[in-house]
Amino acid sequence: MNRAVIVICDSLRADLITEADAPFLSELARRSARFANHTSVFPSTTRTSAASIATGCLPARHGLLGNTMALDEGDGLVCLSVGKPDFRDRLHRATGRTLHRPTLAERVRRAGETAIAISNVSPGAAYFLDPDGFGWVYNPAGSFGPGRRPLPAEEGLAIAKGAAGDDVATDRFCEEMLGRRAPAVATLWLSEPDYTGHHTPLGSPAHRQAIAGADSNARRVAETVRALDPAGERILFIVGSDHGMETVGETIDLDELLIAAGLKRGPGSSDVVVAPNGSAALLYFADPAGGLVAEVARFLETQDWVGRMFVGPDLEAAGLPTGAAMQIALTLKADARPNPHGVPGHSHIVRDSLEPKDCTGFGIHGGFGRNEQRPFLLVSGGGFAPGTHHGRSSLIDIAPTALRHLDLPATGMDGQALPRYPARAA
Ligand SMILES: [Zn+2]
């Protein structure tokens, strides 16, 4: 049976993969199919990305719209963190479903096969790889087997975010998941360099060390894959990231601005609810067809910190649903200025009252900025020839690529299986 092994180094920007900091990924890039024009989805947040990698669909179709989302649980719209361990259940209770499209885990389960994911990022990002429990998902906040059966603590994943936890997760992934259990789809989601990138300047010694840690864990998985499949035929090996990062410029308190402009009744009101997503924000309306949508849009057009804005039917162009409570999505202005460590790219962010910390000068993502939309993707084994692909690829292409390798249908996905050979130069 063919197998697919997927490793995600959270937040690792393609241009920060250097010989000095990521010697293994630099070398792997030379002997893999390297997708040089690879992009994230919008919002470029980890939880949205996880759902898009799992379903092969854009947020418009899988329905998970950010790291935060507004839900009406009976008392009007309230912004919630998707990352919390209970968000999956609250979403299911409020809307009757989780993701709107089947995941890789569900598709391989229907074929009698298994998917296992180990994720050292937020519980929300982990659980939305397989929210309905078709396979196994391991996360420090709680691990689940098929049917969402909670696993006993001794079978769980008692680690912390950061390099040390990622090392333990990688050990277990290589020995237990790849070596002994051998599922059709195995996913390892590392917390670095995202975790350090959110707490230190990009390109600082600590951030570069976090990149080196992720590089060394990717190497260990690659060595395990090579030992299991020396010819590189049965195992499709996919290594990438979910998005990149920009450096935080100013923090905008959008709630406060809307209240001051007379467009929102007060803090916590549900007439218009801001769901902050780093360098992006999604605005939900109690009356999505009401006049407030256009009033808020006109106000935002006057704000010099706004980058791009999508309103109503225009949301489709951003890969977001139209006709839902969420009626306005915006990115904050990004620019190419380098930070003190020479890493280019800044963006303003929207203040997140659920996590109100000052992260000026640290890494962030969520929008359409050039660097946050610059994840990397390397594919080897399974018939992929080494070489650089310059055509556009996206996170949504990973699931159909894995399914093709497994000889399973990838019907109803937005993404497409990636080409195994680079286009011949003209
Ligand atoms: Zn991420």
Side-chain angles (χ1 to χ4, degrees):
M1 172 71 192
N2 281 349
R3 294 158 60 180
V5 174
I6 302 169
V7 177
I8 301 294
C9 307
D10 202 301
S11 273
L12 180 49
R13 257 168 75 161
D15 62 319
L16 299 185
I17 296 175
T18 62
E19 294 283 352
D21 297 335
F24 171 70
L25 291 173
S26 300
E27 182 234 312
L28 183 66
R30 290 191 289 274
R31 55 181 172 85
S32 300
R34 181 174 75 92
F35 290 85
N37 193 8
H38 189 53
T39 57
S40 185
V41 292
F42 178 74
S44 50
T45 57
T46 303
R47 297 153 205 168
T48 325
S49 299
S52 286
I53 288 174
T55 60
C57 288
L58 296 169
R61 293 191 55 224
H62 65 58
L64 195 81
L65 305 187
N67 269 1
T68 64
M69 275 176 70
L71 277 192
D72 185 347
E73 297 177 296
D75 297 315
L77 292 166
V78 175
C79 182
L80 300 175
S81 168
V82 173
K84 297 282 185 235
D86 65 349
F87 180 82
R88 180 258 171 226
D89 293 342
R90 292 174 75 169
L91 177 68
H92 193 268
R93 270 199 302 275
T95 67
R97 55 186 178 172
T98 59
L99 295 180
H100 305 176
R101 298 294 305 152
T103 60
L104 261 179
E106 178 173 352
R107 289 170 185 261
V108 300
R109 175 66 178 267
R110 278 197 226 130
E113 299 292 337
T114 300
I116 301 180
I118 291 190
S119 173
N120 193 25
V121 294
S122 72
Y127 300 157
F128 281 100
L129 290 171
D130 179 14
D132 299 312
F134 289 93
W136 276 263
V137 177
Y138 293 81
N139 180 264
S143 301
F144 296 89
R148 286 190 56 76
R149 173 178 60 89
L151 299 182
E154 63 271 21
E155 290 177 33
L157 192 68
I159 59 175
K161 283 183 194 173
D166 282 356
D167 291 352
V168 174
T170 303
D171 273 342
R172 186 155 175 206
F173 185 74
C174 291
E175 288 164 22
E176 179 184 333
M177 311 313 170
L178 299 187
R180 295 205 298 277
R181 295 171 67 182
V185 178
T187 304
L188 173 65
W189 199 299
L190 300 169
S191 70
E192 294 289 17
D194 180 81
Y195 179 69
T196 298
H198 280 291
H199 297 93
T200 56
L202 304 182
S204 65
H207 184 240
R208 293 178 62 182
Q209 195 175 349
I211 292 172
D215 183 73
S216 121
N217 283 323
R219 179 198 299 272
R220 286 156 66 207
V221 177
E223 285 170 354
T224 305
V225 165
R226 183 174 274 198
L228 291 167
D229 180 27
E233 289 167 358
R234 284 184 302 108
I235 300 183
L236 176 70
F237 183 45
I238 298 174
V239 188
S241 52
D242 49 346
H243 49 75
M245 280 185 155
E246 309 281 348
T247 294
V248 175
E250 284 174 43
T251 299
I252 307 297
D253 193 332
L254 181 50
D255 279 322
E256 196 178 88
L257 289 174
L258 291 174
I259 293 166
L263 295 166
K264 178 172 169 64
R265 276 200 296 274
S269 70
S270 59
D271 45 349
V272 49
V273 175
V274 175
N277 278 277
S279 39
L282 277 60
L283 279 67
Y284 293 68
F285 292 82
D287 179 6
L292 185 59
V293 176
E295 279 182 65
V296 170
R298 277 197 296 275
F299 168 74
L300 291 169
E301 276 168 7
T302 68
Q303 300 295 301
D304 62 1
W305 49 267
V306 172
R308 295 169 70 181
M309 182 163 65
F310 305 88
V311 184
D314 295 344
L315 290 163
E316 189 182 351
L320 291 168
T322 58
M326 194 280 292
Q327 281 292 309
I328 299 178
L330 56 93
T331 65
L332 278 71
K333 199 160 266 179
D335 65 73
R337 277 178 304 127
N339 77 356
H341 299 277
V343 175
H346 278 73
S347 181
H348 297 332
I349 64 166
V350 166
R351 181 177 180 274
D352 187 346
S353 60
L354 299 172
E355 288 179 50
K357 55 184 188 290
D358 180 8
C359 41
T360 310
F362 301 162
I364 195 68
H365 48 92
F368 270 124
R370 174 177 167 78
N371 304 293
E372 58 199 343
Q373 285 289 342
R374 195 188 275 185
F376 76 101
L377 182 67
L378 306 174
V379 186
S380 55
F384 274 82
T388 300
H389 295 251
H390 296 284
R392 194 170 184 270
S393 65
S394 160
L395 301 184
I396 57 175
D397 300 326
I398 291 174
T401 302
L403 289 171
R404 179 182 62 191
H405 180 68
L406 300 173
D407 281 324
L408 295 176
T411 44
M413 290 185 167
D414 293 328
Q416 292 192 326
L418 294 162
R420 293 186 177 102
Y421 295 91
R424 202 180 288 269

